[in-house]
Amino acid sequence: MSQRTNHRTLYLVLISLFLFTGIVVFSVLFLIPKGKEYRTLRLESKKEQQMIGRAQAEYDRVNEKLEKIKSENAHTITAFRTAFDPKKFTKNNDQDFENLYLTEIEMADHNGSFKVYEVNATTKITSPQVFYQFLEKINKSDWIIAVNFPIYFERDEDRIKSSFTMKVHRSAI
């Protein structure tokens, strides 16, 4: 029996030695290199996560600023999207003037985003106050309009005649 025990012990030692050698070889050839690669990738991942965090914070800050600007300028944004209607313009502003004429002027050197109109108006008042109210009304209108200078005023008895040109933004829609 003792010889049998010795063979079992020898087989057990040999198998244990073989397994131990296999584990060491497996560790040296696969685990250690992959561990180093894992650590390197983990550090790169942390750096990228920090960069993503900074970029997200910047995006949130800029987006918040954009939303604030959008809300402050909602009327202007809507005005840019609204197509200019000369008939509606004349109808809206006709009560301020005795006569209001709107004539489109063809220009060869504009880029197509603006139309130029000449406005001739006659008021029944002796001061240009109505005209200034008209300019305020244009500022609050549904269109983007720029009144060009000079503005000509001419007195005709108890009336004031005015003439000026204005650029009207043409909607791209």
Side-chain angles (χ1 to χ4, degrees):
M1 277 217 160
S2 92
Q3 191 163 349
R4 227 176 179 182
T5 310
N6 288 337
H7 285 291
R8 284 184 181 173
T9 308
L10 181 65
Y11 288 139
L12 187 61
V13 169
L14 286 176
I15 289 174
S16 297
L17 192 59
F18 177 73
L19 287 175
F20 180 72
T21 306
I23 291 172
V24 169
V25 168
F26 177 75
S27 297
V28 169
L29 294 179
F30 294 108
L31 290 181
I32 294 173
K34 292 294 181 182
K36 288 180 182 178
E37 183 180 341
Y38 169 76
R39 283 191 299 267
T40 304
L41 291 174
R42 189 179 69 196
L43 287 175
E44 287 178 18
S45 175
K46 282 185 179 181
K47 288 178 185 177
E48 287 179 7
Q49 288 296 332
Q50 287 175 346
M51 289 172 51
I52 289 171
R54 279 188 242 126
Q56 184 66 41
E58 180 68 13
Y59 171 82
D60 292 341
R61 185 185 64 78
V62 170
N63 193 39
E64 182 180 314
K65 190 176 180 180
L66 173 66
E67 292 302 322
K68 180 181 175 189
I69 291 170
K70 275 184 178 178
S71 67
E72 289 173 354
N73 298 302
H75 179 73
T76 305
I77 292 168
T78 304
F80 265 111
R81 293 181 178 149
T82 306
F84 181 71
D85 183 7
K87 291 178 184 175
K88 186 176 178 183
F89 175 82
T90 304
K91 182 182 173 187
N92 288 349
N93 296 298
D94 198 29
Q95 68 270 10
D96 295 333
F97 298 98
E98 185 177 308
N99 296 317
L100 179 65
Y101 301 104
L102 194 62
T103 310
E104 185 174 350
I105 301 172
E106 292 296 323
M107 298 195 51
D109 63 341
H110 72 288
N111 64 3
S113 64
F114 289 94
K115 283 188 177 181
V116 178
Y117 292 90
E118 182 176 1
V119 179
N120 292 306
T122 305
T123 61
K124 294 182 180 180
I125 209 155
T126 57
S127 77
Q129 186 64 33
V130 170
F131 181 77
Y132 295 124
Q133 290 171 350
F134 166 73
L135 290 179
E136 279 297 317
K137 196 176 196 182
I138 284 177
N139 271 345
K140 296 176 182 174
S141 72
D142 293 335
W143 307 292
I144 302 296
I145 299 173
V147 175
N148 295 335
F149 291 95
I151 300 171
Y152 299 102
F153 291 103
E154 181 182 328
R155 186 177 177 104
D156 184 24
E157 296 177 13
D158 64 337
R159 295 181 177 95
I160 295 177
K161 292 182 180 179
S162 59
S163 178
F164 59 93
T165 59
M166 65 182 190
K167 283 185 176 178
V168 179
H169 182 269
R170 179 183 9 217
S171 178
I173 300 172

